[in-house]
């Protein structure tokens, strides 16, 4: 599980520029290689969808996206990521124990960030 | 090689220069400038990732679906928010194998089995005597976790009974806050915690669970 260096740099620079690139999409992939802070993409992305909801509470923010029944059918999902597609920024990259995606299942994916 | 006498002369010379500089600054009417640095940390962290599996039954109509989107096959229309038949958290992974909840949302509260009150404005969970705060699975990744340490920040922890489940809530064991516990019955069904208030009211501000 990695909060990327790029995210920290963007948050810091936003204090100077007043501009912050924000997450817009959640992606799923089939690669299993662990990420480092300098990683910038999933190992093998198979699907990307726009964030469906954002919940901001004080210092915590949650981003939710859904991998629909019709998407990535037959894939084994090992990795998920939080992105800004237009700016090609990866905020969070995560690997997990694999999940088999079928047409009878949709996966809701939630990323929870906090500024401590 | 410099001897003690040389070192003494050197230090004396530095002190002399320093005093002379101070005097010259005064005579020139100069003012000393002092720079202050104030430190503040920005500490963003990725707390948790959750993947929930929403299972669609065979008679649910799904627009665009190659099988369940075919008309005249007896599929049911369902609401957009309840279009699946069951929802299960299948993965919850946390930064550094440490779950933390500051109760800014009630995401991890098992509202069915908890009897206290979550405050969405104070960001705390309030327990009166006999009230229970039970979590959903706070760590689940198809792994067996055998060790965990539960820490609680609260208005008073004196009257809290703390329990952990290493098998998704099937069985519970009493634990001591801040002390590592070894799971007595462990499965891949995930970790949950339970806090029971045995006496006066308590506000829970923060729960932390480190595990391996």
């Amino acid at each position: 599980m990695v909060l990327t260096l790029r995210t920290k740099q963007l948050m810091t620079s936003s204090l100077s520029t007043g501009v912050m690139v924000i997450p817009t999409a959640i992606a799923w992939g089939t690669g299993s290689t662990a990420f480092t802070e300098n990683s910038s993409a999933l190992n093998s992305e198979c699907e990307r969808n726009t964030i469906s909801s954002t919940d901001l509470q004080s210092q915590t923010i949650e981003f939710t996206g859904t991998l629909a029944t019709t998407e990535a059918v037959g894939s084994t999902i090992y990795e998920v990521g939080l992105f800004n597609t237009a700016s090609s920024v990866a905020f969070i990259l995560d690997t997990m124990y694999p999940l088999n995606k079928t047409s009878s299942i949709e996966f809701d994916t939630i990323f929870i960030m906090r500024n401590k | 090689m410099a001897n003690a006498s040389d070192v003494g002369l050197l230090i004396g010379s530095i002190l002399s220069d320093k005093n002379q500089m101070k005097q010259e600054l005064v005579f020139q009417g100069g003012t000393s400038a002092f720079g202050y640095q104030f430190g503040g940390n920005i500490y963003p962290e990725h707390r948790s990732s959750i993947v929930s599996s929403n299972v669609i039954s065979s008679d649910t109509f799904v627009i665009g679906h190659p099988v369940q989107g075919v008309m005249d096959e007896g599929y049911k229309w369902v609401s957009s928010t309840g279009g699946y038949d069951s929802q299960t958290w299948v993965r919850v992974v946390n930064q550094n194998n440490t779950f933390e909840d500051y109760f800014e949302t009630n995401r991890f509260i098992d509202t069915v089995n908890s009897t206290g009150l979550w405050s969405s404005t104070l960001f705390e969970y309030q327990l009166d005597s006999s009230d229970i705060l039970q979590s959903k699975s706070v760590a689940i990744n198809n792994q067996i976790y055998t060790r965990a340490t539960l820490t609680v920040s609260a208005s008073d922890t004196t009257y809290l009974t703390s329990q952990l489940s290493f098998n998704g809530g099937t069985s519970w064991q009493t634990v001591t806050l801040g002390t590592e516990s070894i799971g007595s019955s462990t499965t891949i069904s995930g970790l949950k915690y339970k806090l029971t208030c045995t006496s006066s009211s308590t506000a829970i501000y923060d729960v932390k669970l480190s595990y391996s």
Side-chain angles (χ1 to χ4, degrees):
Chain A
M1 169 182 289
V2 169
L3 180 76
T4 64
L5 176 63
R6 186 81 182 103
T7 304
K8 296 171 187 174
Q9 291 171 332
L10 285 169
M11 293 182 75
T12 305
S13 69
S14 72
L15 297 176
S16 169
T17 63
V19 176
M20 178 67 196
V21 177
I22 62 171
T24 59
I26 288 176
W28 297 262
T30 56
S32 59
T33 305
F35 298 106
T36 71
E37 192 178 57
N38 293 313
S39 299
S40 58
L42 295 179
N43 298 297
S44 181
E45 184 174 322
C46 64
E47 198 70 47
R48 178 178 294 215
N49 289 331
T50 303
I51 290 169
S52 57
S53 68
T54 302
D55 183 11
L56 171 63
Q57 299 291 336
S58 188
Q59 296 159 252
T60 302
I61 189 164
E62 299 182 355
F63 301 96
T64 302
T66 299
L67 185 62
T69 51
T70 53
E71 298 170 327
V73 173
S75 297
T76 303
I77 305 297
Y78 279 88
E79 53 183 354
V80 291
L82 182 68
F83 296 92
N84 178 293
T85 301
S87 301
S88 299
V89 172
F91 295 91
I92 295 171
L93 298 166
D94 229 344
T95 55
M96 57 187 62
Y97 195 86
L99 292 162
N100 294 321
K101 180 66 177 61
T102 72
S103 62
S104 296
I105 298 172
E106 65 181 25
F107 287 146
D108 282 343
T109 301
I110 305 167
F111 288 101
I112 302 174
M113 289 177 68
R114 179 178 164 83
N115 221 332
K116 199 166 186 176
Chain B
M1 178 184 290
N3 57 33
S5 173
D6 292 336
V7 173
L9 286 171
L10 181 61
I11 293 172
S13 175
I14 291 170
L15 287 171
S16 174
D17 287 349
K18 177 190 156 193
N19 288 331
Q20 186 178 347
M21 288 168 73
K22 283 171 69 177
Q23 289 168 7
E24 286 174 354
L25 280 170
V26 171
F27 290 142
Q28 290 171 8
T31 55
S32 300
F34 296 93
Y36 290 97
Q37 291 186 26
F38 295 97
N41 293 328
I42 304 172
Y43 189 9
E45 54 183 12
H46 174 206
R47 284 258 43 91
S48 309
S49 296
I50 304 169
V51 178
S52 64
S53 174
N54 307 327
V55 178
I56 315 292
S57 75
S58 58
D59 61 352
T60 300
F61 182 80
V62 181
I63 293 176
H65 196 278
V67 177
Q68 291 176 243
V70 178
M71 303 294 281
D72 299 327
E73 293 291 333
Y75 297 123
K76 297 175 188 172
W77 288 94
V78 292
S79 70
S80 59
T81 55
Y84 40 81
D85 300 278
S86 66
Q87 183 180 47
T88 308
W89 286 9
V90 288
R91 300 287 180 268
V92 180
V93 291
N94 302 287
Q95 184 169 288
N96 299 326
N97 272 7
T98 302
F99 166 81
E100 268 192 279
D101 194 354
Y102 295 87
F103 298 102
E104 290 185 12
T105 72
N106 62 353
R107 173 77 64 191
F108 290 96
I109 298 172
D110 179 345
T111 52
V112 174
N113 291 302
S114 298
T115 56
L117 181 68
W118 171 61
S119 171
S120 61
T121 53
L122 297 175
F123 303 135
E124 62 186 28
Y125 196 84
Q126 297 157 355
L127 296 171
D128 285 329
S129 183
S130 301
D131 276 343
I132 293 170
L133 165 59
Q134 183 172 319
S135 74
K136 298 178 181 175
S137 288
V138 299
I140 179 168
N141 195 26
N142 204 55
Q143 292 174 295
I144 292 176
Y145 303 114
T146 57
R147 296 169 180 267
T149 305
L150 182 65
T151 310
V152 173
S153 171
S155 58
D156 187 356
T157 57
T158 307
Y159 302 107
L160 285 179
T161 298
S162 313
Q163 292 174 288
L164 286 178
S165 172
F166 290 80
N167 51 24
T170 302
S171 63
W172 296 87
Q173 62 186 79
T174 300
V175 300
T176 302
L177 291 176
T179 301
E180 186 178 69
S181 301
I182 310 294
S184 56
S185 176
T186 59
T187 70
I188 61 169
S189 299
L191 294 174
K192 293 183 177 181
Y193 71 84
K194 186 193 289 189
L195 300 172
T196 304
C197 184
T198 58
S199 185
S200 59
S201 301
T202 300
I204 311 294
Y205 307 131
D206 173 19
V207 171
K208 181 177 176 180
L209 185 65
S210 302
Y211 54 89
S212 58

